Amino acid sequence: MNLMQKTLRPKMLVFLLSFMTFISCSKDNDLFLDAVIEPENPTTVTPTPTDSTDTETPPVENPVEEEVDPIGTPADNTINIDFNFEAGNNIPLIPSNPNRTIFIAVNGKASNSGLTQDSPKDIASAFDKSFVQAGDLFYIKAGDYKFDFNPSNGRQFDLSNLPGSASRPIYWVGYKNNPGDINASEFSTVSWDDYKSGSKAADGTHSLDSSVMPTFSGNNSKAPQYIENESLFWQDGGEQGFVFRNIQIQYFRYGFEFKNISSSVFENVVIANLGNFEPIAGQGGINQDLIGKGFSLTQRSDRNVVKNCATYNMAMTGFSMGEGQHSLVEYSEATSDIDNGNPQDYYFHTIGKYNLFSHLRANRLISSNHSGHGICFNQLADNNVMESSTVYGTSIHFDGAVNCYAKDIEIIGDNSYGLYKGGGIAIMDGAENNLIENVTSIYGESGVSFSDSGKNSYAEHAGKNNTFRNLTISNKSLAIIDLNWWNEKDDLSENNAFEDCKFSDAPYLFVISRSNSNFSFDNCEFVDVNKLQQTSYKNSGNFVLNANTKFTNSKFSNSEMPNKLDFIVSNLLGN
């Protein structure tokens, strides 16, 4: 069977060409290329996959980076920034000419040849440094590969110093009955409903079905704690060229604990039930004993592809790309429905640069004591893109992000949840020069929130110079925009612009609990937004909406209109 006829090859040289209008405050103007694309037509172009599966395809070279001076600064202090970056790698999903093809099975033996399905090797052989060679293809048959509590080094398989490379990858590919019989197209072959159909434990986790794909299972006899099974896969040697396909992982602290892994592929990998689900107050980011992470690709893990993967019920993090650059995460899902005092915190996350997050699903399916981060660009993450994704019960976050872009995102809150209803866009901790467009935010407490936690070592503010274009925000229980009370309330939120937006069905346009300046609304529509501002909620500084707030070319229907004596207004249509 020719797998490439049924599977998109991850030749993911994704060129993102976008025209953006930002305030120039970036500490480095990386990859500001010459081509200018019209602002209303930002595009993503993905080359058509080819039939070639040549494993000798060279790795993607680093794109040219050049620094340029800000150009043509107009009177309003905005400049035009356009950027072009590549994300992912060109490693095929299956090699056409592997070095060796080795078969692995639950009943395999190290002494078997592994050259046929009738003489499979054991699972340890597939990761044995004395046996594995560059370019090898390991076919792993479905079954439950069980592991006891941690070995002495705290990890089951240390993959450091394995001989893979971008041009000679090592493949670990699962199959059910015959090689090539599992092929994902968009999202994993194991859905959330499939996961929920597995046997349920008292802690709310469900077991994965090992008959559909090879399943790596830690010892679960100490449920709801799975942290004594530290890491299934670990590496810290700057390795390249690992390909994991069609496998399942459950009951560990980490699925992949990789540092400086590059030019690798994770496709149709399902990870469930990681961490500690005891009813302990506090979140995984605070208490290290609670951490459970699925894909932890930290430090400079560059040019990786995560495609058609899923995490179900992580105690802390589903997908983290760390400080990595030029990686692609697409058609993947992170879903949780457990809150034992330790709800999942991060669903998709990066603090890196030039990463593309595309066609994702982040779902928080339970009311919990933490709203979580659905898709999060965090701590000075720079020039990243999220697009064409759905977030339910949680929010998208720009937590210190700069020069990042979100488009075509649907964010859905749940008004039946308690305090944390999700459904919003969080701008905080120094987020600036970001463009958010074609985003729908429905239900939940607020549409866009601005805050400053005061927790980071770098200089923070509550969001400035961000542009929101063609947003639809509706059915909010508190307000369209929340100038939030959290921590550093005197830190300004300023120069944030809303263009071509529609706001409807909310008690207030603003809840004011912090200092603000130069918000602007142009060509916007306000429908059933009862009051302009509410200033009594945790507003210890007695802040109000700044008189320099601008409303132009906008329409108000059954909504309080701003008064020209109090604000800067022009060309407004009334009720």
Side-chain angles (χ1 to χ4, degrees), residues 389-423:
S389 299
T390 302
V391 175
Y392 183 89
T394 179
S395 300
I396 65 172
H397 277 250
F398 293 78
D399 296 359
V402 297
N403 299 332
C404 291
Y405 183 32
K407 69 170 184 174
D408 302 329
I409 310 289
E410 184 180 29
I411 315 166
I412 306 167
D414 193 320
N415 286 344
S416 71
Y417 288 0
L419 180 60
Y420 301 106
K421 304 178 188 302

Side-chain angles (χ1 to χ4, degrees), residues 387-548:
E387 65 170 12
S388 304
S389 299
T390 302
V391 175
Y392 183 89
T394 179
S395 300
I396 65 172
H397 277 250
F398 293 78
D399 296 359
V402 297
N403 299 332
C404 291
Y405 183 32
K407 69 170 184 174
D408 302 329
I409 310 289
E410 184 180 29
I411 315 166
I412 306 167
D414 193 320
N415 286 344
S416 71
Y417 288 0
L419 180 60
Y420 301 106
K421 304 178 188 302
I425 303 166
I427 307 293
M428 60 185 292
D429 291 356
E432 62 186 40
N433 299 351
N434 300 294
L435 173 62
I436 296 96
E437 69 174 346
N438 301 336
V439 171
T440 298
S441 169
I442 185 171
Y443 304 118
E445 191 173 48
S446 63
V448 184
S449 65
F450 296 86
S451 61
D452 181 1
S453 72
K455 294 181 177 180
N456 295 293
S457 59
Y458 58 84
E460 296 180 347
H461 51 73
K464 65 180 181 181
N465 307 331
N466 299 290
T467 299
F468 303 85
R469 183 176 299 149
N470 195 30
L471 267 59
T472 300
I473 300 177
S474 63
N475 295 98
K476 297 300 175 180
S477 63
L478 180 62
I480 299 297
I481 298 169
D482 180 11
L483 295 176
N484 193 270
W485 57 269
W486 194 21
N487 289 349
E488 306 293 335
K489 290 178 285 189
D490 290 326
D491 284 357
L492 268 175
S493 180
E494 61 180 331
N495 297 331
N496 296 296
F498 292 82
E499 305 169 357
D500 304 311
C501 299
K502 182 175 181 179
F503 309 119
S504 64
D505 298 299
Y508 301 97
L509 176 59
F510 280 94
V511 166
I512 310 290
S513 304
R514 70 167 48 252
S515 60
N516 58 92
S517 180
N518 285 318
F519 273 70
S520 65
F521 299 84
D522 183 62
N523 198 34
C524 293
E525 184 177 2
F526 305 81
V527 179
D528 295 321
V529 180
N530 297 339
K531 298 291 184 180
L532 195 64
Q533 60 178 311
Q534 196 254 54
T535 59
S536 61
Y537 182 70
K538 295 189 177 183
N539 189 3
S540 59
N542 296 316
F543 300 109
V544 296
L545 187 60
N546 199 304
N548 62 16

Side-chain angles (χ1 to χ4, degrees), residues 193-204:
D193 287 342
D194 293 331
Y195 166 75
K196 293 288 284 185
S197 69
S199 60
K200 184 178 180 179
D203 58 21

Side-chain angles (χ1 to χ4, degrees), residues 53-319:
T53 57
D54 187 0
T55 59
E56 297 298 335
T57 304
V60 180
E61 296 182 358
N62 290 334
V64 175
E65 300 190 12
E66 54 185 66
E67 295 187 355
V68 299
D69 294 327
I71 55 175
T73 305
D76 64 357
N77 295 320
T78 62
I79 66 167
N80 295 331
I81 297 176
D82 54 288
F83 67 94
N84 178 325
F85 70 75
E86 301 170 348
N89 58 56
N90 58 3
I91 295 174
L93 284 177
I94 207 73
S96 60
N97 186 27
N99 176 57
R100 299 179 299 177
T101 299
I102 307 296
F103 292 89
I104 304 293
V106 169
N107 61 353
K109 297 179 181 179
S111 58
N112 288 347
S113 70
L115 299 178
T116 66
Q117 293 188 63
D118 294 331
S119 183
K121 283 188 167 294
D122 65 349
I123 191 64
S125 298
F127 305 99
D128 185 343
K129 295 178 184 179
S130 67
F131 179 72
V132 177
Q133 299 177 10
D136 279 353
L137 167 59
F138 292 92
Y139 276 125
I140 306 174
K141 189 172 184 179
D144 196 1
Y145 297 82
K146 295 182 178 180
F147 298 88
D148 208 342
F149 294 120
N150 281 333
S152 59
N153 63 4
R155 56 197 69 112
Q156 295 293 343
F157 295 119
D158 182 350
L159 306 188
S160 302
N161 302 314
L162 282 182
S165 67
S167 60
R168 296 290 286 170
I170 303 167
Y171 288 79
W172 296 276
V173 180
Y175 69 97
K176 185 174 182 180
N177 296 307
N178 295 291
D181 62 5
I182 304 174
N183 293 285
S185 56
E186 294 181 358
F187 296 97
S188 174
T189 57
V190 177
S191 68
W192 173 254
D193 287 342
D194 293 331
Y195 166 75
K196 293 288 284 185
S197 69
S199 60
K200 184 178 180 179
D203 58 21
T205 62
H206 295 257
S207 60
L208 294 167
D209 183 356
S210 62
S211 70
V212 300
M213 287 201 294
T215 303
F216 295 76
S217 299
N219 189 318
N220 65 348
S221 64
K222 293 188 177 181
Q225 294 188 39
Y226 309 114
I227 56 176
E228 290 191 33
N229 308 317
E230 184 66 25
S231 301
L232 176 59
F233 296 114
W234 187 91
Q235 68 75 230
D236 189 15
E239 283 70 33
Q240 298 184 3
F242 292 170
V243 179
F244 292 89
R245 292 187 59 212
N246 306 335
I247 66 171
Q248 299 184 128
I249 300 169
Q250 61 183 349
Y251 306 126
F252 291 88
R253 185 196 292 267
Y254 290 88
F256 296 97
E257 188 182 7
F258 283 173
K259 303 175 182 179
N260 299 301
I261 183 77
S262 297
S263 299
S264 294
V265 177
F266 305 81
E267 198 269 341
N268 199 28
V269 175
V270 178
I271 306 180
N273 314 326
L274 300 194
N276 186 347
F277 296 94
E278 282 189 311
I280 301 174
Q283 297 145 20
I286 299 171
N287 186 338
Q288 295 297 307
D289 288 336
L290 305 183
I291 284 177
K293 295 184 178 182
F295 295 83
S296 181
L297 312 184
T298 61
Q299 300 179 18
R300 280 298 301 276
S301 292
D302 297 345
R303 298 191 178 282
N304 297 303
V305 172
V306 179
K307 180 181 176 70
N308 300 331
C309 293
T311 64
Y312 301 137
N313 280 326
M314 303 292 102
M316 184 178 178
T317 303
F319 299 80

Side-chain angles (χ1 to χ4, degrees), residues 338-354:
I338 294 177
D339 178 22
N340 293 337
N342 177 40
Q344 181 165 332
D345 196 347
Y346 293 91
Y347 292 73
F348 296 92
H349 172 265
T350 186
I351 58 175
K353 290 183 175 182
Y354 313 123

